[in-house]
Amino acid sequence: MHPAPRLLRRAVAAATTALLATAVGCAPQPEDNASAAPSGPAAESCAKGGLATKTPGKLTVATDEPAYEPWFKDGKPADGKGYESAVAYAVAKRLGYGRSAVVWQSVPFNKAFAPGVKTFDFDINQVSISAERRKAVDFSSGYYDVRQAVIALKDGKAAGVTDIADLKKLRLGAQVGTTSLDYITDVVKPARQPAVYAKNDQAKSALRNGQVDAIVTDLPTAFYITAAEVTEARIVGQFENQGGTPEQFGLVLDKGSALTPCVTRAVDALRKDGTLARIEKQWLSDAVDAPVLK
């Protein structure tokens, strides 16, 4: 992944500054209280640097590979650059773990929230909080409020889309297991079955090659794709949040993890003291307006 120029970073962020006023593999619709208390038992202590982590004295953080911009930079999660990398290190610091104590590992998007014991302490990978996913894993409180967007080629069939009814007639695609795909099936309800891809890279290639008319991703990713990767495409619109509750990304932990209360407190503290807003401004700021599809 090549670094985005300064102009691109301004464009990418544009989307999220607007969203900040209401609060960026995504998920089914978030439950009404997405940041509700975690299901795991309360930790005996959140002593800094002394948590019951997978490796004593270390904090193991997972994300998918490749690690996309603007969430990470140059495919290097460990460098602290990009929104999610910066958030991960900010959470680690709150928990008492310096950069040298943070160990990164690669975990596929769908595997992060699948049932079963995890190899990481927490995963950060644009995973939306939902009631369905809470059955298999714990989530921290939300660290980012997000919307989904539609990307189409500038000269393609979907270029003139202005509402959801227009989308119903088109061939749409998204990454498997994501909220993006759920918005296609549950909100758009297209006449044709959507194309489903293992990775966003495959969805982008399908769009570029004309195999689909449009693809759906989260809004910050959509700005990066159209500014740096598929420049012959544009964002034709974004979806409203469903059910009146913002969709949120959360850190993923083992079901019933003793770390969940501590990680949640860390995220809440970062939101309260303005750290999340500052990180968002650095990596996802300068929003541009994307029309809302109704």
Side-chain angles (χ1 to χ4, degrees):
M1 187 74 67
H2 299 291
R6 182 178 181 83
L7 178 61
L8 169 59
R9 187 178 302 155
R10 290 201 299 268
V12 169
T16 52
T17 298
L19 299 181
L20 180 59
T22 62
V24 32
C26 304
Q29 290 301 304
E31 57 190 321
D32 289 341
N33 185 8
S35 296
S39 61
E44 290 183 7
S45 170
C46 290
K48 290 192 172 183
L51 303 181
T53 54
K54 298 293 183 181
T55 302
K58 300 288 184 181
L59 187 69
T60 302
V61 181
T63 196
D64 201 355
E65 185 179 356
Y68 297 107
E69 298 194 26
W71 310 106
F72 301 92
K73 288 284 288 182
D74 304 324
K76 299 175 182 177
D79 66 6
K81 298 178 181 179
Y83 182 77
E84 289 192 326
S85 181
V87 168
Y89 281 115
V91 170
K93 184 177 180 180
R94 277 277 175 182
L95 296 174
Y97 296 88
R99 288 179 67 104
S100 62
V102 176
V103 178
W104 288 85
Q105 66 174 226
S106 174
V107 173
F109 178 79
N110 277 343
K111 190 175 180 180
F113 50 86
V117 177
K118 307 306 175 190
T119 57
F120 51 78
D121 293 310
F122 69 75
D123 178 277
I124 183 166
N125 188 26
Q126 305 117 66
V127 180
S128 295
I129 301 168
S130 75
E132 183 64 26
R133 287 179 176 172
R134 280 191 186 277
K135 296 175 183 178
V137 296
D138 277 358
F139 282 98
S140 70
S141 52
Y143 64 86
Y144 182 71
D145 298 353
V146 67
R147 283 190 179 183
Q148 300 298 315
V150 179
I151 306 169
L153 295 180
K154 295 174 182 177
D155 59 355
K157 286 184 180 180
V161 164
T162 59
D163 56 32
I164 292 175
D166 291 339
L167 292 172
K168 291 181 181 293
K169 314 164 194 174
L170 302 177
R171 174 73 163 164
L172 306 176
Q175 183 178 348
V176 65
T178 62
T179 304
S180 305
L181 181 58
D182 289 332
Y183 267 71
I184 294 174
T185 58
D186 300 339
V187 177
V188 178
K189 300 177 182 178
R192 301 175 63 182
Q193 282 291 108
V196 181
Y197 302 97
K199 298 280 187 180
N200 258 338
D201 280 345
Q202 296 171 347
K204 289 180 286 188
S205 294
L207 176 65
R208 187 184 287 113
N209 296 332
Q211 295 168 304
V212 292
D213 299 314
I215 61 173
V216 178
T217 72
D218 63 78
L219 193 52
T221 297
F223 276 108
Y224 183 76
I225 288 173
T226 54
E229 298 181 317
V230 189
T231 55
E232 63 272 31
R234 60 182 287 263
I235 298 171
V236 298
Q238 61 178 306
F239 294 103
E240 291 182 303
N241 286 315
Q242 301 300 301
T245 301
E247 177 185 345
Q248 291 187 314
F249 293 157
L251 305 178
V252 182
L253 300 95
D254 267 317
K255 184 67 177 174
S257 173
L259 300 183
T260 304
C262 301
V263 173
T264 290
R265 288 175 208 169
V267 172
D268 290 344
L270 293 172
R271 184 179 290 276
K272 185 176 180 180
D273 70 9
T275 299
L276 291 182
R278 288 193 294 273
I279 295 173
E280 183 171 339
K281 184 177 181 180
Q282 179 179 3
W283 296 107
L284 302 175
S285 63
D286 294 339
V288 280
D289 216 6
V292 176
L293 302 171
K294 297 183 178 180

